[in-house]
């Protein structure tokens, strides 16, 4: 089970809801992924087109734990406001703190992320900060009391996979709360590797929504994350420099 | 009455008295809408009792897809 704050989940896949070709494909991908946690953003409504459908109307929202992000925030203050707006819906108390410091790389601003997380913890939120793969920042966030740490594998939407496995392994090793690898995953094998390394979960969006067949990719990711987790729990063999025979050396029937 | 709603200056009839009335005016009352009035975020339960006045700044936000 994945435990985040007071919530328990049997799925270790957290799925984003951005940029699907249409709501029907999105719904099917969400179903197939077996995710229990959906992320989304908070934005102004278009008051002149009130009839526009919203993705929440397509999904049975009560089946999911909603994880709003604070995307769009450039400062801690903005992030705190967005989190409070989301909470005022009465639909969620978890928040993904996302304070972007650079529009080109979409890397998080570490100082503002830390400040926003501290403030939101004081306000009683269940706080999951999206952070870089900085090991000491991850430690500081955990020390604040964050309920999970979410280091990026590589820049958001880049699909580059885990570009700093060493740092990620340090973060996983030192952290007692769940480490959820968030952003940059491109393929099922990326997700499986994160899980084999001991990540508690993976948060994906573009890898699924941008795939040629998002529904099939959602299924592939579900299987990869389950396989990676099983592999981690099973415990891999150590790497050796030379071969070790699997078949017995004795009793070979060759004279 | 003139309001600033999501950055737009908008005239609404004076029959609109409350936040809930405003949402009805925009036909948004069946949707998940989060309201901020003059920089104060309102819980859903406060929509009916919160009065609105001329020159109020209202933000109406909702959930959209995101990662």
């Amino acid at each position: 089970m994945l435990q985040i704050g007071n919530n328990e989940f049997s799925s270790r896949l957290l799925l984003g809801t951005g940029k699907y070709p249409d709501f029907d494909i999105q719904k099917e991908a969400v179903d197939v992924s077996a995710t229990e946690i959906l992320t989304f953003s908070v934005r102004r409504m278009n008051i002149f087109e009130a009839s526009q459908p919203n993705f929440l109307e397509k999904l049975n929202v009560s089946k999911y734990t909603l994880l709003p992000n604070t995307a769009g925030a450039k400062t801690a203050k903005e992030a705190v406001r967005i989190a409070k707006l989301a909470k005022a819906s009465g639909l969620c108390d978890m928040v993904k703190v996302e304070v972007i410091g650079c529009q080109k790389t979409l890397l998080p601003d570490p100082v503002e992320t830390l400040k926003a997380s501290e403030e939101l913890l004081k306000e009683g939120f269940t706080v999951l900060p999206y952070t870089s793969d900085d090991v000491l920042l991850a430690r500081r966030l955990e020390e604040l009391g964050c309920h999970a740490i979410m280091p990026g594998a590589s820049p958001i939407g880049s699909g580059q996979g885990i570009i700093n496995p060493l740092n990620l392994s340090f973060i996983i090793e030192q952290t007692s709360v769940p480490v959820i690898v968030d952003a940059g995953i491109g393929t099922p094998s990326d997700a499986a590797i994160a899980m084999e390394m001991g990540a508690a979960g993976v948060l994906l969006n573009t890898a699924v929504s941008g795939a040629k067949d998002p529904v099939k990719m959602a299924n592939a990711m579900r299987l990869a994350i389950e396989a990676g987790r099983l592999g981690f729990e099973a415990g891999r063999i150590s790497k050796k420099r030379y071969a070790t025979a699997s078949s017995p050396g004795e009793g070979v029937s060759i004279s | 009455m003139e309001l600033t709603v999501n950055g737009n200056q908008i005239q609404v009839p004076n029959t609109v008295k409350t936040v809930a009335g405003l949402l009805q005016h925009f036909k948004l009352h069946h949707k998940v809408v989060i309201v901020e009035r003059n920089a104060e975020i309102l819980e859903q339960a406060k929509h009916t009792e919160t009065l609105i006045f001329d020159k109020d700044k209202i933000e109406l936000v909702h959930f959209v897809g995101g990662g």
Side-chain angles (χ1 to χ4, degrees):
Chain A
M1 292 295 266
L2 168 61
Q3 179 153 10
I4 304 172
N6 295 324
N7 308 295
E8 280 198 344
F9 305 98
S10 39
S11 164
R12 293 177 180 274
L13 167 57
L14 291 74
L15 193 62
T17 54
K19 298 193 293 185
Y20 287 81
D22 61 53
F23 286 154
D24 291 327
I25 290 177
Q26 175 173 353
K27 187 186 178 308
E28 208 181 328
V30 169
D31 285 346
V32 163
S33 76
T35 187
E36 293 165 294
I37 305 176
L38 294 174
T39 67
F40 56 89
S41 305
V42 177
R43 289 290 180 273
R44 273 179 169 170
M45 295 189 94
N46 184 347
I47 50 171
F48 303 111
E49 286 181 57
S51 58
Q52 273 182 345
N54 185 281
F55 78 102
L56 285 179
E57 292 158 16
K58 280 273 176 186
L59 300 166
N60 178 4
V61 174
S62 60
K63 264 175 61 183
Y64 302 97
T65 297
L66 300 183
L67 177 61
N69 65 36
T70 64
K74 295 188 182 110
T75 64
K77 200 177 160 203
E78 289 168 3
V80 168
R81 174 175 170 261
I82 294 171
K84 286 180 177 174
L85 282 168
K87 197 176 189 176
S89 71
L91 295 174
C92 42
D93 65 357
M94 296 211 298
V95 63
K96 167 178 162 176
V97 175
E98 179 174 352
V99 190
I100 299 302
C102 168
Q103 287 313 303
K104 191 170 178 182
T105 60
L106 296 183
L107 288 171
D109 183 317
V111 178
E112 298 299 316
T113 300
L114 197 71
K115 275 193 215 164
S117 299
E118 186 169 25
E119 181 66 29
L120 290 167
L121 285 164
K122 275 187 208 152
E123 297 273 348
F125 283 80
T126 300
V127 179
L128 296 76
Y130 162 60
T131 171
S132 65
D133 54 23
D134 187 281
V135 181
L136 273 298
L137 177 61
R139 183 177 294 174
R140 292 286 296 271
L141 287 164
E142 186 183 9
E143 283 169 359
L144 279 181
C146 289
H147 300 85
I149 307 295
M150 304 210 292
S154 52
I156 294 172
S158 72
Q160 292 191 49
I162 301 167
I163 55 172
N164 194 341
L166 185 67
N167 272 23
L168 184 59
S169 70
F170 288 152
I171 292 174
I172 290 170
E173 205 177 292
Q174 75 178 9
T175 309
S176 311
V177 294
V179 173
I180 295 163
V181 175
D182 177 6
I185 297 293
T187 63
S189 59
D190 295 336
I193 288 169
M195 296 307 294
E196 285 173 19
M197 288 172 66
V202 171
L203 197 164
L204 297 165
N205 189 341
T206 312
V208 169
S209 66
K212 194 170 75 184
D213 184 338
V215 177
K216 197 169 269 188
M217 188 58 87
N219 196 22
M221 290 296 185
R222 175 179 68 81
L223 294 167
I225 288 166
E226 281 176 17
R229 179 66 191 183
L230 285 174
F232 169 73
E233 288 174 0
R236 63 155 298 153
I237 59 162
S238 56
K239 288 184 185 177
K240 300 174 196 78
R241 185 166 169 80
Y242 293 106
T244 316
S246 320
S247 313
E250 288 158 17
V252 178
S253 169
I254 295 172
S255 52
Chain B
M1 166 163 67
E2 186 179 278
L3 303 173
T4 306
V5 182
N6 290 357
N8 305 290
Q9 299 213 324
I10 288 174
Q11 293 289 335
V12 300
N14 285 333
T15 48
V16 175
K17 304 273 187 217
T18 63
V19 165
L22 184 69
L23 295 181
Q24 208 138 20
H25 174 71
F26 288 126
K27 299 189 170 51
L28 296 173
H29 49 292
H30 293 308
K31 303 211 163 208
V32 175
V33 191
I34 304 137
V35 185
E36 192 184 59
R37 176 180 166 264
N38 298 335
E40 187 197 343
I41 298 168
L42 304 174
E43 300 290 329
Q44 301 289 311
K46 299 259 182 182
H47 289 183
T48 320
E49 64 189 63
T50 305
L51 299 172
I52 52 173
F53 298 98
D54 192 43
K55 308 292 183 216
D56 272 359
K57 284 195 170 61
I58 308 283
E59 285 287 318
L60 303 177
V61 305
H62 66 158
F63 298 136
V64 300

